[in-house]
Amino acid sequence: MRVRDKSFDGRDNEPMTAGPGVPKYNVTVSGSVGVQVGSHNSQINFITPSYAYATSDRSVTTHNLPSPAVAFGGRDITVLSRLLSDRETGAPPAQVVVHGLGGVGKSEFVNQYARANLDRYQLVWWVTSDSPESIELGLAALTRRLHPTVALADAQGWALGWLQSNAEWLLILDNVEDLTDIASLLGQLAGHGRVLITTRRIPGPQWRLRGLKSLHLDVLDHAASVRLLGELTGLDDPDGAARLAAELGGLPLALKQAAAYIRQRDWMSFDRYHALLRERFEQSLSPQGLGGTDDRSIATVWTVTMSAIAAADAVAAKVMEVLAWFAHEDLPEKVVYPLADDPRDVLDALAVLASYSMITRRSGTISVHPLVQSAARRSIMADGRASAVCETAAWLLLTAAPEDPVNNVAGWPLWATLLPHIIALTEHTSDGYQSITTMALQDRAAVYLQYQGNVGAAITTFARVLADSERILGPEHPQTLTARANLATAYQQAGRTSEAITLFEQLLADSERILGPEHPQTLTARANLATAYQQAGRTSEAITLFEQLLADSERILGPEHPQTLTARANLAVSYQQAGRADDATVIETTVLADRERILGPEHPDTLTARANLAVSFWQAGRTGEAIALFEQVLIDRERLLGPEHPDTLTARANLATAYQQSGRTGEAIALFEQVLIDRERLLGPEHPDTLTTRANLAFSYSQVTRTGEAIALLEQVLADSQRIFGPEHPRTVTARANLALSYHQAGRTGEAVALLEQVLADSQRIYGPEHPDTLTARANLAASYQQSGRTGEAIALLEQVVAERERLLGPEHPQTLIGRANLAASYRQAGRAAPGSTGDGNA
């Protein structure tokens, strides 16, 4: 049986720029693909690594609780102690929902309980939970606290593992907007530690059926409200405080912000503030759709406070307006620095806002209560200024976002921090608020998501950008064409090749008609379509387009233009896929010589060309030359780029692949293990490069009969792929095939046959009956049939495979020769003559 080989990591991508003003990373064409004996997706796998979950030191409680309020009263926190306690009854650890009006003090209530009971727990962790993304980020922060070396992409899984492996902890899920967002999490944590939930929603019967206990937190009673106003202002006027407290309805957030306003003015009394509040009350209710007590109280107080702030500090008012459109916490302060010529003016403005309790500042970040944001947005929309403020907010985020979200690894943590705010701005802005700036911001965020492996979210965002571009700029605007290309590229990466081809064909036709057949963006469109054809197995069409592209590039740009060299390299890839390894080697040799002469021997593009030539040497059977080049590339990249640069890791992985396929498996495993550790740490465990490395390591284990380790790894790969991508995603199909082949190697033939039958059915449905992956699936199933004694079925499949490969790839293509050799072996096993059985291959 022929086990599918894994591909080289790294024929590095060679981008084709989309024309002036278009970011280089948005529209790309793969410069080359890897060695592909079998599926072009072969050995690209997903898995979440396991870690040892060590318990923390019980003498010190780990927590991330927010600072407590200066004044707190009118609440009995012992009721939470009773609801959460299980020490006397022996019941499972409790999960409690605290619900009530927004601004009623739910968060402060549970914070006070947690601080008073820190000695009961080894961990107390606060997670803002207003969206699934916020929950994931909060769990990731827990992982960073307990295990800083775990990569960001796997942090949520690690945190869940720790919580399930320990018991004495309290998890606070604050400000849950949709209780279904936490249903799965609660199920996974049931019976372990204790969970406190705060929400404005009233828990329904389904939550009681889950065993959740609930506590309704009402507004403060009148006496407690009066005391709180006195403590926060220092005024000794209980009668005036009583009148103001009655107006504010006992809502703690409104009381707190009113007290902050009064405290700023020596001459302000409770009654004066009360009169000022009454003047603005009708305005706060009128056209803004405020329906609840909490909304009305906050809107009224916000109106009064912001009038005072705007009169005193115009920058503070501007800052508050843009903060209303972001996520409500953890915005880096530096994001708003450009709102003034001097950042010190912004820092002064933040100090003013904090003094009025409009924002909370902590560790260089800003948080705003969601109700305050809501009141601000309503006021801005009522004034007709939403478009302008949204434009400013988008510009701030776009300015703060790091350049090149694909390759700038150092910028990824900031991207992860900004992403919730980009999502919030997108959710808060209707179609009428979209602009070139907001579309550019969403486009860059989509690129970051795409190359972090979150292709589904990237496709959603790219589709939104395309729809906005078509509506605002028109369907034929150059930026609309770029948006269409970006969506098609994401479709291609997600394995939705037919959709990608449809868009690329439309894009090429539009570009030729609108821009002309020789425009740089038209050349890019032609290259992208050729690459999509290549991925779909339509090799001859890809070669035709790439040959046309190369001729046009040489004529229009010149034979030595970087884009011409890229076109030449792309053509070499198609020749390789067609089995024309010698032709590919000739082209790659020319590309390398040109780049060494034009760019210099140490230019990154030259190193890429050297790596690509090494792959061509390998495919042509020039193994020694290939390994020598791979070793040289690794040495050069370590020296020029450093040992941890992504390109250096690719070079190391490529060398490991070459070692493995030349029989130097021990050296390959050592390199793959090193690359996997580095990529998990630097790129994250779910980054595409990390996934490829993990699968390649599993393949190497199977080569040295460490079959049990390989199978365990691949079983988890398949489970993770199904969970992350769905059961029919190409990566999932590949994971299923790889696991089947490992089962086959271990002698678990029945399981292998069942999986391979499913793989063939999936491949025929997803790719079509003539796609190279479908042919490979058919050949692998035939091999399993043969090993299990079902020789007649194996021969029937292999005869079909050989006929299709001869027709589609040609009689001398390496895959055709392998299929013919396998068919000959089946004939021999059946005692039949093998008509025309010539060729070479692994049977």
Side-chain angles (χ1 to χ4, degrees):
M1 174 180 182
R2 183 182 59 76
V3 177
R4 293 186 295 178
D5 290 340
K6 55 105 190 105
S7 65
F8 284 101
D9 263 36
R11 293 196 161 249
D12 304 2
N13 286 342
E14 299 204 13
M16 296 281 288
T17 57
V22 178
K24 173 179 176 180
Y25 51 78
N26 281 353
V27 184
T28 61
V29 176
S30 174
S32 297
V33 293
V35 171
Q36 296 170 350
V37 181
S39 167
H40 74 281
N41 285 319
S42 179
Q43 302 288 338
I44 299 177
N45 302 296
F46 285 66
I47 187 170
T48 301
S50 299
Y51 297 97
Y53 298 115
T55 58
S56 59
D57 182 1
R58 285 303 311 274
S59 64
V60 179
T61 300
T62 300
H63 74 86
N64 69 331
L65 293 173
S67 301
V70 176
F72 177 78
R75 305 294 194 196
D76 179 12
I77 61 174
T78 62
V79 65
L80 279 180
S81 297
R82 292 192 295 271
L83 288 172
L84 289 169
S85 177
D86 63 354
R87 286 173 169 78
E88 293 78 16
T89 64
Q95 298 178 339
V96 176
V97 182
V98 179
H99 59 95
L101 291 172
V104 80
K106 301 179 294 296
S107 300
E108 186 59 36
F109 180 56
V110 299
N111 187 26
Q112 293 286 340
Y113 162 79
R115 286 187 167 277
N117 291 275
L118 280 175
D119 59 347
R120 297 185 59 181
Y121 304 104
Q122 67 183 111
L123 170 78
V124 176
W125 201 253
W126 188 286
V127 176
T128 299
S129 305
D130 56 353
S131 70
E133 293 80 10
S134 297
I135 296 169
E136 182 176 349
L137 291 171
L139 293 174
L142 169 59
T143 298
R144 288 195 296 273
R145 176 70 65 87
L146 297 181
H147 197 323
T149 62
V150 176
L152 179 62
D154 189 45
Q156 182 181 15
W158 192 95
L160 284 174
W162 190 94
L163 294 170
Q164 290 172 337
S165 302
N166 293 273
E168 294 304 314
W169 50 260
L170 172 65
L171 181 66
I172 299 170
L173 303 177
D174 183 47
N175 194 30
V176 173
E177 292 289 344
D178 187 344
L179 293 176
T180 60
D181 289 344
I182 61 172
S184 175
L185 177 61
L186 294 180
Q188 294 179 72
L189 298 182
H192 298 283
R194 294 160 186 79
V195 181
L196 264 178
I197 303 157
T198 72
T199 181
R200 297 172 68 181
R201 307 287 294 275
I202 299 175
Q206 70 273 26
W207 297 99
R208 290 192 292 274
L209 291 174
R210 287 177 173 271
L212 271 74
K213 303 175 184 179
S214 66
L215 172 66
H216 174 66
L217 196 65
D218 207 344
V219 296
L220 291 175
D221 62 33
H222 185 67
S225 299
V226 172
R227 286 195 302 272
L228 184 61
L229 282 174
E231 291 175 4
L232 291 176
T233 62
L235 296 179
D236 184 15
D237 180 7
D239 292 338
R243 287 185 287 272
L244 179 56
E247 184 71 32
L248 295 177
L251 191 68
L253 181 59
L255 293 166
K256 176 183 175 183
Q257 293 196 337
Y261 185 97
I262 294 168
R263 194 169 57 240
Q264 296 296 313
R265 291 160 179 78
D266 294 338
W267 51 269
M268 182 65 69
S269 67
F270 290 129
D271 284 336
R272 285 177 177 173
Y273 183 81
H274 187 195
L276 182 61
L277 203 62
R278 297 279 301 214
E279 292 173 8
R280 303 294 181 90
F281 189 72
E282 290 302 323
Q283 175 186 340
S284 70
L285 291 179
S286 53
Q288 301 172 22
L290 303 178
T293 302
D294 50 346
D295 284 338
R296 290 194 295 271
S297 297
I298 292 300
T300 306
V301 173
W302 182 87
T303 301
V304 173
T305 303
M306 281 310 301
S307 295
I309 290 174
D313 191 327
V315 175
K318 187 185 296 186
V319 170
M320 191 65 231
E321 286 183 342
V322 297
L323 292 179
W325 303 90
F326 298 148
H328 71 269
E329 67 175 8
D330 294 334
L331 178 78
E333 289 186 353
K334 291 182 178 180
V335 171
V336 295
Y337 283 178
L339 286 174
D341 293 335
D342 189 339
R344 289 174 294 186
D345 293 337
V346 177
L347 291 173
D348 290 341
L350 293 175
V352 170
L353 291 170
S355 71
Y356 279 95
S357 294
M358 298 296 280
I359 66 171
T360 300
R361 302 173 71 189
R362 182 173 61 182
S363 302
T365 65
I366 307 167
S367 299
V368 191
H369 194 283
L371 284 178
V372 174
Q373 290 180 304
S374 177
R377 287 196 303 274
R378 284 167 173 156
S379 176
I380 293 166
M381 288 187 285
D383 291 344
R385 296 183 298 110
S387 295
V389 178
C390 288
E391 177 76 4
T392 300
W395 170 73
L396 289 172
L397 290 174
L398 190 60
T399 301
E403 293 294 329
D404 191 1
V406 177
N407 300 303
N408 181 12
V409 178
W412 289 354
L414 180 54
W415 267 111
T417 300
L418 295 178
L419 197 59
H421 302 284
I422 297 172
I423 293 170
L425 177 61
T426 301
E427 291 174 346
H428 292 321
T429 53
S430 67
D431 290 344
Y433 301 151
Q434 295 299 332
S435 68
I436 300 297
T437 306
T438 59
M439 289 188 293
L441 175 65
Q442 291 169 11
D443 175 79
R444 291 184 64 187
V447 171
Y448 169 76
L449 289 166
Q450 178 181 353
Y451 287 91
Q452 290 294 309
N454 196 348
V455 184
I459 286 174
T460 299
T461 307
F462 279 136
R464 182 187 301 116
V465 172
L466 176 58
D468 291 336
S469 297
E470 289 176 333
R471 177 173 49 82
I472 296 171
L473 302 174
E476 297 186 348
H477 190 279
Q479 285 187 251
T480 304
L481 302 184
T482 296
R484 191 171 293 122
N486 291 343
L487 177 59
T489 301
Y491 279 152
Q492 188 174 345
Q493 185 172 335
R496 296 164 61 174
T497 310
S498 61
E499 294 168 274
I501 287 174
T502 299
L503 279 183
F504 279 137
E505 287 175 337
Q506 177 188 352
L507 179 66
L508 179 57
D510 290 343
S511 298
E512 289 178 334
R513 176 172 50 83
I514 299 166
L515 304 174
E518 297 185 351
H519 190 279
Q521 197 160 335
T522 304
L523 301 184
T524 296
R526 191 171 294 123
N528 286 339
L529 177 58
T531 300
Y533 282 159
Q534 185 173 292
Q535 180 175 327
R538 297 163 62 173
T539 308
S540 61
E541 294 169 274
I543 288 175
T544 299
L545 277 183
F546 276 133
E547 288 176 337
Q548 178 186 352
L549 176 67
L550 178 57
D552 291 341
S553 298
E554 288 178 334
R555 176 172 49 82
I556 298 166
L557 304 174
E560 297 185 349
H561 190 279
Q563 199 159 315
T564 304
L565 300 183
T566 296
R568 197 171 290 127
N570 287 335
L571 177 60
V573 176
S574 291
Y575 283 162
Q576 288 171 350
Q577 187 167 332
R580 297 166 59 177
D582 291 337
D583 292 336
T585 300
V586 171
I587 293 177
E588 294 286 11
T589 302
T590 302
V591 171
L592 176 58
D594 288 343
R595 284 181 170 168
E596 287 179 333
R597 176 173 50 81
I598 298 167
L599 304 176
E602 296 186 344
H603 190 278
D605 289 351
T606 305
L607 300 186
T608 295
R610 193 170 291 125
N612 290 345
L613 178 59
V615 176
S616 293
F617 279 162
W618 188 272
Q619 284 197 313
R622 298 162 63 174
T623 308
E625 295 169 277
I627 289 178
L629 272 185
F630 280 134
E631 290 174 336
Q632 180 184 347
V633 169
L634 177 57
I635 292 170
D636 290 342
R637 283 184 169 165
E638 286 180 333
R639 175 172 52 83
L640 298 170
L641 304 177
E644 295 187 345
H645 191 280
D647 289 352
T648 305
L649 301 185
T650 295
R652 193 171 293 123
N654 284 342
L655 179 59
T657 299
Y659 282 162
Q660 176 183 283
Q661 295 188 353
S662 62
R664 297 163 64 175
T665 312
E667 294 168 275
I669 288 176
L671 281 179
F672 276 137
E673 288 175 336
Q674 178 186 351
V675 173
L676 181 58
I677 291 171
D678 290 340
R679 281 181 166 165
E680 286 179 339
R681 176 171 51 85
L682 298 169
L683 307 180
E686 293 188 354
H687 188 279
D689 291 350
T690 308
L691 308 178
T692 299
T693 306
R694 190 173 295 115
N696 289 344
L697 178 59
F699 185 83
S700 296
Y701 285 160
S702 69
Q703 295 295 92
V704 292
T705 66
R706 294 168 64 174
T707 311
E709 293 171 86
I711 287 176
L713 189 58
L714 291 173
E715 285 175 337
Q716 186 63 55
V717 165
L718 177 58
D720 290 340
S721 297
Q722 292 180 136
R723 173 177 53 82
I724 296 169
F725 299 106
E728 294 192 350
H729 191 279
R731 289 185 184 273
T732 305
V733 175
T734 296
R736 193 173 289 121
N738 289 338
L739 177 59
L741 298 179
S742 291
Y743 282 161
H744 189 111
Q745 184 178 13
R748 297 164 62 174
T749 310
E751 294 168 278
V753 167
L755 280 181
L756 289 172
E757 287 175 337
Q758 182 180 352
V759 168
L760 177 57
D762 291 341
S763 298
Q764 290 180 139
R765 184 176 64 259
I766 297 168
Y767 306 127
E770 296 185 348
H771 191 278
D773 287 4
T774 304
L775 302 187
T776 295
R778 194 171 287 121
N780 288 339
L781 177 58
S784 281
Y785 279 162
Q786 183 173 326
Q787 182 169 325
S788 59
R790 298 164 63 175
T791 309
E793 294 168 277
I795 288 175
L797 281 180
L798 285 172
E799 287 175 337
Q800 183 180 356
V801 168
V802 170
E804 289 169 341
R805 285 180 172 169
E806 286 179 340
R807 177 171 57 85
L808 297 171
L809 305 177
E812 300 302 320
H813 191 281
Q815 295 286 2
T816 306
L817 300 180
I818 289 173
R820 198 176 292 128
N822 288 339
L823 178 58
S826 295
Y827 281 148
R828 288 194 297 272
Q829 183 172 330
R832 294 172 49 182
S837 58
T838 61
D840 231 350
N842 296 324

